[in-house]
Amino acid sequence: TSWPGYEAVPARIYQGYTVVAEEMLEQLRSEPSPSMPTHVLINAGVGGFAAGMCAHLWERLGSERPRFIAVEPTEANCLQCSAEAGALTASPHSDAGTVQTGLDCTEVAEVAWRVLATGVDDFVAVPDAVVEPAMRLLADDSPAVVAGHSAVAGIGALLAAAAQPGLQQSLGLGPDSVVAAVICEGAVDSQAFEAAVGASPEEVQARR
């Protein structure tokens, strides 16, 4: 994270995240029928990773950049709270916490907010109930994806949008949408992953 007087190092770390954004663009352009996404969903904690991704896509694609959607846990929705308030605002403390531990942040990094306040089109918060179904969906996909509890908030938002026409409309999702959801964590806790998915990370990886 960052705070007044401590910004240079976090800014450089966030710059490092732009490598992921460029790799995503390169991968999309190498597809047999290249097409840029209309929507990008990114998981968010303090906002650093989201800011790096958002800034790079904005710089590289300009007016053609995709709709950028930041997704966080409902129990730690500091970005959503800040967007609603129009200024940096901490999310309420939750005794329950969240299984999305990598996103369990109650305050947005100031450096990140300078990008996200303008660059994010939609702020979405998802409950923990969507996490394990999203993990299983990816594990059963072809190719299979090993995604941890803090990796699938964006997938959870898509599942929610598929079931809620109002949310789907609010996010501008339709039959012609091309969606990229960034998965940024593997099986950090192998036992927790297996309990959620019903298979070990190694077994899921072997399905690829």
Side-chain angles (χ1 to χ4, degrees):
T1 188
S2 67
W3 53 83
Y6 180 68
E7 296 185 348
V9 172
R12 289 180 181 177
I13 293 172
Y14 303 163
Q15 276 187 310
Y17 296 144
T18 65
V19 173
V20 179
E22 186 61 27
E23 288 177 344
M24 182 179 75
L25 292 176
E26 290 176 359
Q27 182 177 343
L28 289 168
R29 287 173 176 144
S30 68
E31 294 294 320
S33 300
S35 60
M36 287 295 103
T38 58
H39 298 69
V40 170
L41 291 95
I42 185 78
N43 306 332
V46 300
F49 183 59
M53 294 289 292
C54 180
H56 190 74
L57 293 174
W58 201 346
E59 180 181 26
R60 297 282 275 118
L61 302 178
S63 62
E64 300 300 315
R65 75 187 185 96
R67 185 162 178 162
F68 200 85
I69 304 170
V71 190
E72 57 194 335
T74 53
E75 299 296 337
N77 62 332
C78 53
L79 288 173
Q80 196 175 57
C81 289
S82 297
E84 291 172 353
L88 284 170
T89 303
S91 60
H93 173 73
S94 170
D95 291 330
T98 172
V99 298
Q100 303 171 74
T101 53
L103 309 179
D104 192 2
C105 306
T106 58
E107 295 185 17
V108 185
E110 291 191 25
V111 171
W113 185 243
R114 293 171 197 161
V115 174
L116 300 176
T118 303
V120 173
D121 297 287
D122 305 280
F123 295 91
V124 178
V126 295
D128 283 351
V130 306
V131 171
E132 292 187 0
M135 292 170 66
R136 289 192 290 271
L137 178 69
L138 292 174
D140 293 335
D141 200 4
S142 180
V145 177
V146 176
H149 286 76
S150 299
V152 297
I155 300 297
L158 286 176
L159 293 176
Q164 301 174 36
L167 176 59
Q168 186 177 125
Q169 184 176 10
S170 295
L171 298 178
L173 292 166
D176 296 325
S177 298
V178 179
V179 180
V182 181
I183 308 299
C184 56
E185 179 190 83
V188 175
D189 184 328
S190 296
Q191 291 183 335
F193 178 88
E194 185 167 359
V197 172
S200 70
E202 294 77 18
E203 289 170 331
V204 173
Q205 190 68 28
R207 299 172 186 169
R208 295 180 63 86

